[in-house]
Amino acid sequence: MKASRMFQAAAKTFWVASTTSREILSTIRHYCKKTPTTLRVSEAVSGAGLDTNIKVQGWVRSVRPQKTHLFLHVNDGSSLQPLQIVASSELNNPSLTFGCAVEVTGTLKRSPHQKQPVELEAHQIQVVGECDPVDFPFKIKERHSLEYLRQFPHLRCRTNAFSSLLRVRSEATTAIQSYFKKNGFVQIHTPVITSNDCEGAGELFQVEPSSPESNEDENFFSVPAFLTVSGQLHLEVMSGALSKVFTFGPTFRAENSQSRRHLAEFYMVEAEVSFTESLEDLTKVVEDVFRSATEHVLAHCPEDVDLFHKHVTPGHRETVDSMMKKRFPMISYTEAIDILNRSSEKFAFPTNWGCDLQTEHEKYLVKHCGNIPVFVTDYPYDLKPFYARDNQDHPEHTAAAVDLLVPGVGELCGGSLREERLDLLRARLEEAGLEETYSWYLDLRRFGSVPHGGFGLGFERYLQCILGVENIKDVIPFPRFSHSCLL
């Protein structure tokens, strides 16, 4: 009898537990059905979450109220293409304007229209951040020029053109990092603050404490310190132990220029390769980086690139396709001067052997070679910094240096073999009065030195080249140049 009661009690307990579990599971299923899945606009547009309850968050790009329905385009920056929202006119309210931030919940459905694959049938629209369309500097039906957008560095990311630029810039960064990783390069974080002037041009920003308590007669670092103009010398240090190294970061030049080609702060891709005595080894890496990054961008940002090629620089896609189909030719500096002197073009700057190539010369050479990138090698020795390798080819006397010239921009990349011969390097530093300053650099040649070389590629100029953007200030989020440092 006692055993029977115990069995009944256990059975009842089991039944209650099972019932409770079923109720919990039922509640969870009900909750999951009611709770929308948050998707990015790019995911929703691609069809993810079709016929399910979803939520998107973004900014309104267009508002079209009708008698019974309300149509919105919402974008969150994940793609150029917005998501169309279809709602009852009852969900409209005065705060729902161009530029405002919203959260929209509804069911994602296939669209009956060919212009968009899907649309969101909204159940709820919440305005998260209001936007006064009268005061907002961008208007819904106007296509603003890049020059106009430049006036609003804090707002221009809200436009299609600049958000496309930022996505292209992000993908290009990923592609460059990926190329170096796949090809055995080690990334080095070179310092932003340095005591070196790599370029030797004196165009430096000096770093000093802003505190009024600091002693003006003493340097914070005990030596004069500057914002870096290049990570090259630090990469050369690392190339004494790691045969392939690169860096990708900001560099600074105190050039008093507001031209379309110059910035005070910009990004550089720099690499050093040990155990090489050939400029061709360097040019191969440069060309491979260019092609790899461009192929990646064209494959992953087709709509963003097309926006520039159709609306900013119509016809530029043909130039890009031509660059990708042909190998980059190589000419010497001497051949380049001969081409310039034989042309009928009237140049503003001289084209004598020994003169530095100016932008007008570089662009002419690019057109002469078929409007594709061209390498120019073996520049006059006196035009290049102390670290460039002496070709010892008197009477011309050239250095083993190379520049890559590209359509629409001119010089994109500069590099050289480095002078690894201690006696020649010491003699040149003595001549420039820099032997003591660069005694550590001479040490690199005294202890296990090897033939090596490297290059630096301007990232913003690369973006100008593939997108066809004329002004370098339009391919960087926050441009810094003389007399301008907004934000």
Side-chain angles (χ1 to χ4, degrees), residues 420-432:
E420 85 284 3
R421 294 162 294 187
L422 179 61
D423 55 339
L424 295 179
L425 180 60
R426 180 186 286 119
R428 189 156 199 198
L429 287 172
E430 286 178 353
E431 183 181 346

Side-chain angles (χ1 to χ4, degrees), residues 4 19 146 153 174 193 296 307 347 358 468 470:
S4 176
T19 302
L146 296 180
T174 298
I193 299 175
H296 179 93
L307 182 146
F347 298 110
Q358 303 298 319
E470 289 188 359

Side-chain angles (χ1 to χ4, degrees), residues 103-400:
E103 286 186 352
V104 184
T105 303
T107 304
L108 190 65
K109 296 286 188 179
R110 292 197 184 278
S111 175
H113 305 288
Q114 294 182 349
K115 290 187 176 180
Q116 66 268 336
V118 297
E119 59 188 25
L120 181 60
E121 295 181 358
H123 308 147
Q124 180 182 3
I125 301 175
Q126 179 185 356
V127 176
V128 178
E130 296 183 7
C131 178
D132 186 341
V134 176
D135 294 336
F136 195 47
F138 310 133
K139 306 307 175 186
I140 190 169
K141 293 185 179 180
E142 293 183 26
R143 181 172 291 160
H144 303 287
S145 68
L146 296 180
E147 290 77 14
Y148 177 79
L149 301 184
R150 210 179 299 144
Q151 302 175 69
F152 308 99
H154 58 305
L155 295 174
R156 64 177 178 170
C157 59
R158 313 281 185 93
T159 65
N160 281 341
F162 209 74
S163 62
S164 286
L165 177 278
L166 294 174
R167 285 188 291 272
V168 169
R169 188 180 172 100
S170 176
E171 288 295 341
T173 300
T174 298
I176 290 169
Q177 299 271 8
S178 177
Y179 169 83
F180 282 117
K181 182 175 180 60
K182 288 178 181 177
N183 287 275
F185 284 76
V186 176
Q187 183 172 11
I188 305 296
H189 294 135
T190 55
V192 170
I193 299 175
T194 178
S195 58
N196 300 318
D197 177 8
C198 178
E199 297 296 318
E203 297 166 340
L204 303 169
F205 288 105
Q206 189 158 355
V207 178
E208 296 176 349
S210 62
S211 171
E213 300 177 359
S214 60
N215 189 338
E216 294 183 0
D217 297 327
E218 294 182 5
N219 289 305
F220 181 85
F221 296 101
S222 298
V223 296
F226 312 94
L227 295 180
T228 183
V229 297
S230 170
Q232 178 209 314
L233 297 183
H234 297 97
L235 284 183
E236 282 199 64
V237 170
M238 299 303 174
S239 71
L242 306 166
S243 60
K244 289 183 175 182
V245 291
F246 82 102
T247 190
F248 189 174
T251 53
F252 306 85
R253 303 280 171 89
E255 288 184 280
N256 189 16
S257 171
Q258 298 187 33
S259 78
R260 295 179 176 185
R261 301 174 68 245
H262 294 95
L263 290 168
E265 178 186 12
F266 54 96
Y267 278 69
M268 287 277 283
V269 180
E270 300 179 87
E272 288 288 321
V273 180
S274 298
F275 300 99
T276 180
E277 299 180 70
S278 168
L279 279 178
E280 285 75 11
D281 290 343
L282 298 183
T283 58
K284 183 181 185 305
V285 176
V286 172
E287 185 168 350
D288 286 350
V289 169
F290 185 99
R291 291 184 182 280
S292 177
T294 306
E295 287 172 357
H296 179 93
V297 168
L298 294 178
H300 290 79
C301 303
E303 292 181 337
D304 296 311
V305 173
D306 284 347
L307 182 146
F308 282 89
H309 290 170
K310 290 179 180 178
H311 302 297
V312 178
T313 314
H316 190 69
R317 182 53 184 263
E318 287 75 13
T319 301
V320 174
D321 289 342
S322 179
M323 288 191 288
M324 298 301 289
K325 289 176 183 176
K326 300 176 182 177
R327 303 303 303 180
F328 301 170
M330 185 180 298
I331 61 174
S332 69
Y333 169 88
T334 301
E335 290 171 324
I337 290 297
D338 184 54
I339 291 169
L340 295 172
N341 286 331
R342 286 190 286 107
S343 75
S344 58
E345 194 88 7
K346 300 296 182 183
F347 298 110
F349 292 90
T351 56
N352 302 325
W353 199 98
C355 293
D356 206 356
L357 296 180
Q358 303 298 319
T359 303
E360 60 175 349
H361 306 144
E362 295 167 349
K363 291 184 176 181
Y364 179 85
L365 291 169
V366 169
K367 289 182 180 178
H368 176 84
C369 293
N371 206 36
I372 61 174
V374 55
F375 289 108
V376 179
T377 67
D378 302 310
Y379 281 78
Y381 183 73
D382 291 337
L383 290 180
K384 293 301 174 182
F386 65 86
Y387 49 75
R389 195 176 198 275
D390 188 347
N391 280 331
Q392 295 184 306
D393 54 350
H394 298 284
E396 285 185 336
H397 199 194
T398 63

